[in-house]
Amino acid sequence: DNLDYFITILQYDTSLSNDKNYVFNKTVASSTWMITHNLNKYCAVDVVDDNDVIIYPNVDYTSLNTVTITFSSNQTGYAYFN
């Protein structure tokens, strides 16, 4: 069928990593999240709603330590910084 599959048995334990990360939990719905993560770097940012569905808001890097995330409507959920 000419199908390719990628299977891995690798596991990644973040407790063993020296890489900095931060999880932000927004429990009160808002269309703008202003977040200070204090990781001293421009992080990769992943955002999910309360159902763990990835959403794609506008992410503005205010500084190495702060980010403003903007949605088209009020939102709760999590922002993962790495």
Side-chain angles (χ1 to χ4, degrees):
D1 292 337
N2 292 329
L3 298 176
D4 292 326
Y5 296 92
F6 178 76
I7 300 172
T8 182
I9 58 172
L10 298 176
Q11 295 180 344
Y12 183 71
D13 185 353
T14 58
S15 68
L16 300 176
S17 174
N18 291 329
D19 192 23
K20 301 173 189 176
N21 58 68
Y22 176 72
V23 178
F24 176 80
N25 180 9
K26 182 67 171 171
T27 58
V28 177
S30 177
S31 63
T32 303
W33 301 358
M34 296 176 66
I35 303 166
T36 301
H37 53 72
N38 288 323
L39 298 175
N40 202 34
K41 63 180 184 174
Y42 293 107
C43 302
V45 182
D46 293 312
V47 181
V48 298
D49 64 15
D50 286 331
N51 296 313
D52 289 329
V53 174
I54 296 174
I55 49 181
Y56 300 96
N58 187 43
V59 178
D60 291 313
Y61 295 89
T62 310
S63 72
L64 283 176
N65 292 307
T66 58
V67 170
T68 301
I69 300 175
T70 308
F71 303 90
S72 58
S73 61
N74 289 342
Q75 194 69 246
T76 59
Y78 295 87
Y80 297 95
F81 296 83
N82 187 10

